[in-house]
Amino acid sequence: MIDLRNLTIEKAHEHFKSGDFTVTDLVNEYLKVIKEKNGDINAYLEVYNDVLDQARVAEGMFKNGTATLMTGIPLALKDNMLYKGHIASASSKILENYVATYDSFIVKQLKTQGVVFLGRTNMDEFAMGSSTETSAYGNTKNPIDTSRVPGGSSGGSVAALAMDGALVSLGSDTGGSIRQPAAFCGLVGLKPTYGAVSRFGIISMGSSLDQVGTFGKTVEDAETLFNAINGYDEKDSTSVKKEERIQPLPLKKKIGVPRSFLSGDGIESDILKNFEENCKRLEKAGYEIVDISLPLIKYSLAVYYIISPAEVSSNLARYDGIRYGLHEGADKLYEVYTKSRGKGFGKEVRRRILLGTYILSHGYYDAYYNTAIKVRHAIKEELKNAFKEVDAIITPTSPFMPFKFGEKLSDPVGMYLSDLFSVPANIADIPAISIPSGKNSEGLPFGLHIMAPLFREDILFTIGKDFEKLV
Ligand code: GLN
């Protein structure tokens, strides 16, 4: 029996090298857990049929001396990441049988390092949601408390890890889809800087906000996986070259707290109490905690719910019933579109398309879209200035604890509030991480959210590792 709960990338690597167990042994352990638990949790939509072949390739790399730290590490992919020859459905009916014809950049990178892709995980349809309840393939349960949601949209990727059904996993984050589920399931979730990881081969939601990121049980695992996928890709025009990225500078050991942002409505008192404890922990670790004023940051959520639906409405126009996936036959071309899209898209996706189409329509474009773009710019400047004084900015990850199924599904605006603290990082393109910060009396996890300047993921890892030791 392998102690999966306490296994990290580094430990697994040591075991592979010393011969304590092989990649196949480890993969078989995970397959066993998945078989036992996935029927109930529904973290995976599919376990790939070539898992053991992949394990053998990794073992070959250990034999011929080409193995790296990531070789043989069993990983879960989110259902919006293309892996050649396998289905990627974005948990939507419209892409139910869509088989990827090429590898996404991240899959290609990891393949050459001998990573083992275990399967694809459930998510909110096209990554729109905060609970994984908008998936066309059923709910994913939170392994910590199965009456509650795992968060979303990368709910399957975190649940896979939380149930010990993978060593690490990948998610995507447009407004919080990595960090909020990480907080809900007691794991570490990293959203890198926009442009750090290629979006090539990732099914788009909001192209100016989407970013692939990593989940791990420890900050170090999230960091190691990030290092394995981080890099320039000429196939993504928004990918940033290494030499154009900001170089690390020494830390000031000063962290900012945007006090007025924490006094808004809808933030649970337990969350605020935990946050104050987290500030004390960081002080203990030698950081100075200072109040900072960010008067514009509270508009991030409104800006996000204008820009993201606008981008959704144009990105999802490609699903016309002809080029990809589900096709409904009809006499007239227009009816092919309406029938296929009507049948293929779920309620939340249709809501966002309608909203986005309205926002971009003649007569409203200036009032909504252009205004939001201007405010986005102002928020970016505000954060950039704040980072002249402090290394990082902290808040809770989510304004509320993991909620029960159905609790917020009929209240879209209540659901959108999940993104209150996570969305500013997407608006400003900056990196952010969620780190477990203890549990409430019911055993449900809290998360600490840390934001850093552009391309300064190193700050998140440094503070994260210092913090992790004190929880
Ligand atoms: N919860 C947010 C939304 O529904 C964020 C989703 C995401 O990051 N993909 O849009």
Side-chain angles (χ1 to χ4, degrees), residues 78 126-130 152-153 172-178 205 304-305 308 352 416 418-419 426:
K78 186 172 175 175
F126 282 101
M128 296 170 209
S130 300
S153 65
S172 63
D173 189 312
T174 306
S177 277
I178 289 177
M205 177 183 162
Y304 174 81
Y305 277 99
S308 74
R352 305 262 182 135
Y416 296 169
S418 307
D419 310 316
N426 303 78

mmCIF file of all heavy atoms in Angstrom, residues 78 126-130 152-153 172-178 205 304-305 308 352 416 418-419 426, ligand 1:
data_model
loop_
_atom_site.group_PDB
_atom_site.id
_atom_site.type_symbol
_atom_site.label_atom_id
_atom_site.label_comp_id
_atom_site.label_asym_id
_atom_site.label_seq_id
_atom_site.Cartn_x
_atom_site.Cartn_y
_atom_site.Cartn_z
ATOM 1 N N LYS A 78 -8.297 18.673 -16.908
ATOM 2 C CA LYS A 78 -9.662 19.208 -16.942
ATOM 3 C C LYS A 78 -10.239 18.924 -18.320
ATOM 4 O O LYS A 78 -9.491 18.880 -19.313
ATOM 5 C CB LYS A 78 -9.612 20.718 -16.647
ATOM 6 C CG LYS A 78 -10.961 21.397 -16.494
ATOM 7 C CD LYS A 78 -10.790 22.841 -16.008
ATOM 8 C CE LYS A 78 -12.111 23.595 -15.968
ATOM 9 N NZ LYS A 78 -11.978 24.947 -15.398
ATOM 10 N N PHE A 126 -18.316 24.558 -20.145
ATOM 11 C CA PHE A 126 -17.452 25.601 -20.724
ATOM 12 C C PHE A 126 -16.827 26.499 -19.655
ATOM 13 O O PHE A 126 -16.541 27.670 -19.903
ATOM 14 C CB PHE A 126 -18.197 26.441 -21.763
ATOM 15 C CG PHE A 126 -18.328 25.746 -23.092
ATOM 16 C CD1 PHE A 126 -19.530 25.135 -23.448
ATOM 17 C CD2 PHE A 126 -17.263 25.667 -23.965
ATOM 18 C CE1 PHE A 126 -19.660 24.465 -24.664
ATOM 19 C CE2 PHE A 126 -17.378 25.007 -25.183
ATOM 20 C CZ PHE A 126 -18.575 24.405 -25.538
ATOM 21 N N ALA A 127 -16.673 25.961 -18.446
ATOM 22 C CA ALA A 127 -16.023 26.664 -17.319
ATOM 23 C C ALA A 127 -16.855 27.814 -16.762
ATOM 24 O O ALA A 127 -16.325 28.708 -16.121
ATOM 25 C CB ALA A 127 -14.615 27.131 -17.696
ATOM 26 N N MET A 128 -18.175 27.785 -17.016
ATOM 27 C CA MET A 128 -19.027 28.857 -16.507
ATOM 28 C C MET A 128 -19.763 28.379 -15.267
ATOM 29 O O MET A 128 -20.749 27.646 -15.366
ATOM 30 C CB MET A 128 -20.031 29.289 -17.574
ATOM 31 C CG MET A 128 -19.343 29.875 -18.783
ATOM 32 S SD MET A 128 -20.506 30.106 -20.112
ATOM 33 C CE MET A 128 -19.414 29.927 -21.513
ATOM 34 N N GLY A 129 -19.263 28.790 -14.116
ATOM 35 C CA GLY A 129 -19.898 28.409 -12.866
ATOM 36 C C GLY A 129 -18.898 28.345 -11.736
ATOM 37 O O GLY A 129 -17.688 28.489 -11.947
ATOM 38 N N SER A 130 -19.408 28.102 -10.525
ATOM 39 C CA SER A 130 -18.560 28.086 -9.336
ATOM 40 C C SER A 130 -18.854 26.874 -8.462
ATOM 41 O O SER A 130 -18.537 26.863 -7.284
ATOM 42 C CB SER A 130 -18.797 29.350 -8.507
ATOM 43 O OG SER A 130 -18.487 30.484 -9.271
ATOM 44 N N GLY A 152 -16.022 25.394 -8.295
ATOM 45 C CA GLY A 152 -15.929 25.264 -9.738
ATOM 46 C C GLY A 152 -15.268 26.485 -10.346
ATOM 47 O O GLY A 152 -14.923 27.417 -9.644
ATOM 48 N N SER A 153 -14.995 26.446 -11.618
ATOM 49 C CA SER A 153 -15.464 25.399 -12.511
ATOM 50 C C SER A 153 -14.586 24.143 -12.532
ATOM 51 O O SER A 153 -15.040 23.110 -13.014
ATOM 52 C CB SER A 153 -15.563 25.955 -13.927
ATOM 53 O OG SER A 153 -14.284 26.305 -14.414
ATOM 54 N N SER A 172 -8.318 25.371 -15.238
ATOM 55 C CA SER A 172 -8.223 26.651 -15.926
ATOM 56 C C SER A 172 -8.985 27.650 -15.083
ATOM 57 O O SER A 172 -9.896 27.284 -14.353
ATOM 58 C CB SER A 172 -8.802 26.557 -17.339
ATOM 59 O OG SER A 172 -10.179 26.256 -17.268
ATOM 60 N N ASP A 173 -8.570 28.907 -15.195
ATOM 61 C CA ASP A 173 -9.104 29.935 -14.305
ATOM 62 C C ASP A 173 -9.362 31.196 -15.113
ATOM 63 O O ASP A 173 -8.437 31.801 -15.648
ATOM 64 C CB ASP A 173 -8.073 30.171 -13.197
ATOM 65 C CG ASP A 173 -8.560 31.056 -12.064
ATOM 66 O OD1 ASP A 173 -9.120 32.130 -12.370
ATOM 67 O OD2 ASP A 173 -8.374 30.685 -10.894
ATOM 68 N N THR A 174 -10.642 31.570 -15.215
ATOM 69 C CA THR A 174 -11.039 32.759 -15.958
ATOM 70 C C THR A 174 -11.439 33.862 -14.986
ATOM 71 O O THR A 174 -11.249 35.044 -15.250
ATOM 72 C CB THR A 174 -12.218 32.402 -16.890
ATOM 73 O OG1 THR A 174 -11.827 31.278 -17.685
ATOM 74 C CG2 THR A 174 -12.603 33.551 -17.809
ATOM 75 N N GLY A 175 -11.995 33.414 -13.839
ATOM 76 C CA GLY A 175 -12.401 34.376 -12.814
ATOM 77 C C GLY A 175 -12.234 33.816 -11.404
ATOM 78 O O GLY A 175 -12.650 34.437 -10.438
ATOM 79 N N GLY A 176 -11.671 32.620 -11.322
ATOM 80 C CA GLY A 176 -11.489 32.023 -9.989
ATOM 81 C C GLY A 176 -11.598 30.514 -9.981
ATOM 82 O O GLY A 176 -11.535 29.865 -8.936
ATOM 83 N N SER A 177 -11.747 29.933 -11.159
ATOM 84 C CA SER A 177 -12.057 28.503 -11.290
ATOM 85 C C SER A 177 -10.991 27.534 -10.813
ATOM 86 O O SER A 177 -11.240 26.339 -10.749
ATOM 87 C CB SER A 177 -12.370 28.178 -12.744
ATOM 88 O OG SER A 177 -13.706 28.496 -12.992
ATOM 89 N N ILE A 178 -9.806 28.035 -10.487
ATOM 90 C CA ILE A 178 -8.810 27.164 -9.861
ATOM 91 C C ILE A 178 -8.787 27.440 -8.364
ATOM 92 O O ILE A 178 -8.808 26.521 -7.543
ATOM 93 C CB ILE A 178 -7.402 27.415 -10.457
ATOM 94 C CG1 ILE A 178 -7.351 26.874 -11.886
ATOM 95 C CG2 ILE A 178 -6.326 26.780 -9.587
ATOM 96 C CD1 ILE A 178 -6.051 27.127 -12.617
ATOM 97 N N MET A 205 -12.987 30.107 -23.013
ATOM 98 C CA MET A 205 -14.163 30.731 -22.420
ATOM 99 C C MET A 205 -14.032 32.228 -22.681
ATOM 100 O O MET A 205 -14.579 32.734 -23.634
ATOM 101 C CB MET A 205 -14.231 30.413 -20.921
ATOM 102 C CG MET A 205 -15.398 31.095 -20.231
ATOM 103 S SD MET A 205 -15.414 30.794 -18.456
ATOM 104 C CE MET A 205 -16.495 32.113 -17.918
ATOM 105 N N TYR A 304 -15.878 42.050 -14.744
ATOM 106 C CA TYR A 304 -15.756 40.655 -15.193
ATOM 107 C C TYR A 304 -17.051 40.157 -15.828
ATOM 108 O O TYR A 304 -17.013 39.486 -16.868
ATOM 109 C CB TYR A 304 -15.385 39.768 -14.001
ATOM 110 C CG TYR A 304 -15.370 38.295 -14.344
ATOM 111 C CD1 TYR A 304 -14.272 37.720 -14.975
ATOM 112 C CD2 TYR A 304 -16.466 37.478 -14.060
ATOM 113 C CE1 TYR A 304 -14.257 36.373 -15.306
ATOM 114 C CE2 TYR A 304 -16.459 36.129 -14.386
ATOM 115 C CZ TYR A 304 -15.356 35.583 -15.004
ATOM 116 O OH TYR A 304 -15.353 34.255 -15.342
ATOM 117 N N TYR A 305 -18.179 40.487 -15.198
ATOM 118 C CA TYR A 305 -19.444 39.975 -15.734
ATOM 119 C C TYR A 305 -19.963 40.792 -16.926
ATOM 120 O O TYR A 305 -21.082 40.615 -17.379
ATOM 121 C CB TYR A 305 -20.486 39.779 -14.619
ATOM 122 C CG TYR A 305 -20.219 38.420 -13.953
ATOM 123 C CD1 TYR A 305 -19.514 38.326 -12.765
ATOM 124 C CD2 TYR A 305 -20.595 37.238 -14.584
ATOM 125 C CE1 TYR A 305 -19.216 37.086 -12.199
ATOM 126 C CE2 TYR A 305 -20.300 35.998 -14.038
ATOM 127 C CZ TYR A 305 -19.618 35.917 -12.850
ATOM 128 O OH TYR A 305 -19.324 34.688 -12.311
ATOM 129 N N SER A 308 -16.378 39.045 -19.576
ATOM 130 C CA SER A 308 -16.362 37.593 -19.834
ATOM 131 C C SER A 308 -17.560 37.119 -20.673
ATOM 132 O O SER A 308 -17.360 36.375 -21.628
ATOM 133 C CB SER A 308 -16.147 36.779 -18.558
ATOM 134 O OG SER A 308 -17.280 36.768 -17.766
ATOM 135 N N ARG A 352 -25.191 33.292 -20.503
ATOM 136 C CA ARG A 352 -23.993 34.115 -20.756
ATOM 137 C C ARG A 352 -23.937 34.573 -22.212
ATOM 138 O O ARG A 352 -23.530 35.691 -22.502
ATOM 139 C CB ARG A 352 -22.732 33.321 -20.439
ATOM 140 C CG ARG A 352 -22.712 32.757 -19.043
ATOM 141 C CD ARG A 352 -21.931 33.584 -18.090
ATOM 142 N NE ARG A 352 -21.940 32.924 -16.797
ATOM 143 C CZ ARG A 352 -20.880 32.755 -16.025
ATOM 144 N NH1 ARG A 352 -19.712 33.214 -16.396
ATOM 145 N NH2 ARG A 352 -20.985 32.156 -14.864
ATOM 146 N N TYR A 416 -22.484 34.257 -8.694
ATOM 147 C CA TYR A 416 -21.423 35.107 -9.245
ATOM 148 C C TYR A 416 -20.586 35.753 -8.135
ATOM 149 O O TYR A 416 -19.420 36.075 -8.335
ATOM 150 C CB TYR A 416 -21.999 36.200 -10.165
ATOM 151 C CG TYR A 416 -22.698 35.681 -11.415
ATOM 152 C CD1 TYR A 416 -23.455 36.534 -12.225
ATOM 153 C CD2 TYR A 416 -22.613 34.343 -11.785
ATOM 154 C CE1 TYR A 416 -24.108 36.070 -13.363
ATOM 155 C CE2 TYR A 416 -23.268 33.872 -12.913
ATOM 156 C CZ TYR A 416 -24.018 34.737 -13.702
ATOM 157 O OH TYR A 416 -24.668 34.275 -14.821
ATOM 158 N N SER A 418 -19.355 34.377 -5.691
ATOM 159 C CA SER A 418 -18.240 33.472 -5.347
ATOM 160 C C SER A 418 -16.917 34.054 -5.802
ATOM 161 O O SER A 418 -15.871 33.766 -5.229
ATOM 162 C CB SER A 418 -18.379 32.118 -6.062
ATOM 163 O OG SER A 418 -19.609 31.533 -5.845
ATOM 164 N N ASP A 419 -16.945 34.822 -6.880
ATOM 165 C CA ASP A 419 -15.721 35.279 -7.538
ATOM 166 C C ASP A 419 -15.203 36.614 -7.008
ATOM 167 O O ASP A 419 -14.232 37.147 -7.533
ATOM 168 C CB ASP A 419 -15.965 35.416 -9.049
ATOM 169 C CG ASP A 419 -16.604 34.173 -9.629
ATOM 170 O OD1 ASP A 419 -16.159 33.075 -9.269
ATOM 171 O OD2 ASP A 419 -17.561 34.292 -10.424
ATOM 172 N N ASN A 426 -7.630 38.122 -12.399
ATOM 173 C CA ASN A 426 -7.853 37.895 -13.834
ATOM 174 C C ASN A 426 -7.985 39.231 -14.563
ATOM 175 O O ASN A 426 -7.470 39.394 -15.675
ATOM 176 C CB ASN A 426 -9.111 37.066 -14.068
ATOM 177 C CG ASN A 426 -9.072 35.737 -13.336
ATOM 178 O OD1 ASN A 426 -9.304 35.694 -12.132
ATOM 179 N ND2 ASN A 426 -8.741 34.666 -14.032
HETATM 180 N N1 GLN B 1 -17.129 31.448 -11.509
HETATM 181 C C1 GLN B 1 -16.701 32.272 -12.581
HETATM 182 C C2 GLN B 1 -17.687 32.208 -13.707
HETATM 183 O O1 GLN B 1 -18.657 31.558 -13.583
HETATM 184 C C3 GLN B 1 -15.326 31.916 -13.009
HETATM 185 C C4 GLN B 1 -15.257 30.748 -13.902
HETATM 186 C C5 GLN B 1 -13.873 30.446 -14.347
HETATM 187 O O2 GLN B 1 -12.894 30.925 -13.773
HETATM 188 N N2 GLN B 1 -13.772 29.683 -15.414
HETATM 189 O O3 GLN B 1 -17.519 32.807 -14.704
#
